Amino acid sequence: MGKNLQTSVKLRPVDLARRHGLSTQAVRNYEEAGILPTAERTASGYRVYTPLHERALAAFLALVPGHGHATATAVMQAVNGDAVDDALQLIDESHVRLLHDRRTLRAVEDALHGLTADSAAAGSAGFEPTFIGPLARELGVRPATLRKWEYAGLVRPRRDPVTGYRVYDPADVRDAHLVHQLRRGGHLLEQIAPLITQVRTAGGVEPLEGALRDWHSRLSDRGRAMLRGAATLDVYLRERD
């Protein structure tokens, strides 16, 4: 589409709204937020859009599924403010977050698959509770490390009512093994906490297989959405130039 056509074709807010399933107020809000270039006004004060505005709107809507509303908004604001390098950096940072999420998923899978047969069988009738010393030796860590994990809510041993000693039930042993695997993978305690919660909520390791498949699917969908968003944004950038 040539430059002359970009400026000669006039579009109303309702035209953009209908083509993208939006309300006219949403289109006006996007312009006010800097997602769309500033529109010209008629003598009566009505907004006049062009095909370039439609390209901007299409680019924004294509960016949202992969990058989220906030990042997509910031990208379009940067582009429309002639700060394209800033926009590209925002996209790069979003890709880094996706890569981090992929690595986290792989670490979780490796940790779950790396659990010992005993810890994976936590909760079975023949699995005996243990104490902090034996569990620390089994994991190759200091008892102080287990206490630190307990304070962070990652392991929740009960206390023997007579001796006051910590008693680690089968589920506690499973959680301790999982924490140990993830810590070896370089994950911080605050990153591990929600994963342990998910294991507890699921009732063990096995029920998480479906959740992991869903996680894979969401990351793949996000990656594909980023590709579509990049292609649509590139069209807008070329036509702006």
Side-chain angles (χ1 to χ4, degrees), residues 1 6 50-60 232 235-236 239:
M1 190 176 293
Q6 289 285 9
T50 68
L52 188 64
H53 291 88
E54 185 175 16
R55 290 296 192 192
L57 181 56
F60 170 72
T232 309
V235 171
Y236 176 56
E239 294 191 358

Side-chain angles (χ1 to χ4, degrees), residues 17-194:
R18 286 173 178 170
R19 293 179 187 185
H20 295 280
L22 301 171
S23 68
T24 54
Q25 186 58 51
V27 173
R28 289 192 288 266
N29 290 343
Y30 288 154
E31 181 194 343
E32 291 172 1
I35 293 169
L36 306 183
T38 302
E40 294 182 2
R41 299 285 187 126
T42 66
S44 303
Y46 293 109
R47 290 175 171 84
V48 178
Y49 294 119
T50 68
L52 188 64
H53 291 88
E54 185 175 16
R55 290 296 192 192
L57 181 56
F60 170 72
L61 295 176
L63 287 169
V64 169
H67 300 275
H69 192 280
T71 297
T73 297
V75 167
M76 296 306 297
Q77 289 170 337
V79 169
N80 293 326
D82 294 325
V84 175
D85 284 346
D86 291 345
L88 296 178
Q89 180 174 329
L90 289 168
I91 292 174
D92 290 343
E93 290 169 352
S94 191
H95 279 279
V96 169
R97 287 192 292 272
L98 176 60
L99 178 60
H100 173 76
D101 289 347
R102 288 190 185 281
R103 287 174 172 168
T104 298
L105 173 57
R106 178 59 58 85
V108 171
E109 291 177 325
D110 291 345
L112 292 176
H113 296 155
L115 293 175
T116 64
D118 286 343
S119 61
S124 61
F127 197 91
E128 296 295 330
T130 189
F131 299 98
I132 191 168
L135 181 56
R137 287 192 294 272
E138 179 181 340
L139 295 173
V141 301
R142 296 179 300 169
T145 298
L146 284 171
R147 288 193 289 269
K148 183 178 180 181
W149 295 350
E150 179 183 348
Y151 298 146
L154 304 179
V155 184
R156 301 183 297 189
R158 60 183 174 86
R159 295 286 185 140
D160 185 283
V162 178
T163 65
Y165 293 158
R166 292 173 172 83
V167 180
Y168 294 83
D169 290 328
D172 300 316
V173 174
R174 175 204 64 207
D175 293 347
H177 276 270
L178 184 53
V179 173
H180 184 50
Q181 292 284 348
L182 291 169
R183 286 294 289 144
R184 289 177 61 186
H187 287 72
L188 303 177
L189 296 184
E190 55 266 32
Q191 296 172 320
I192 297 172

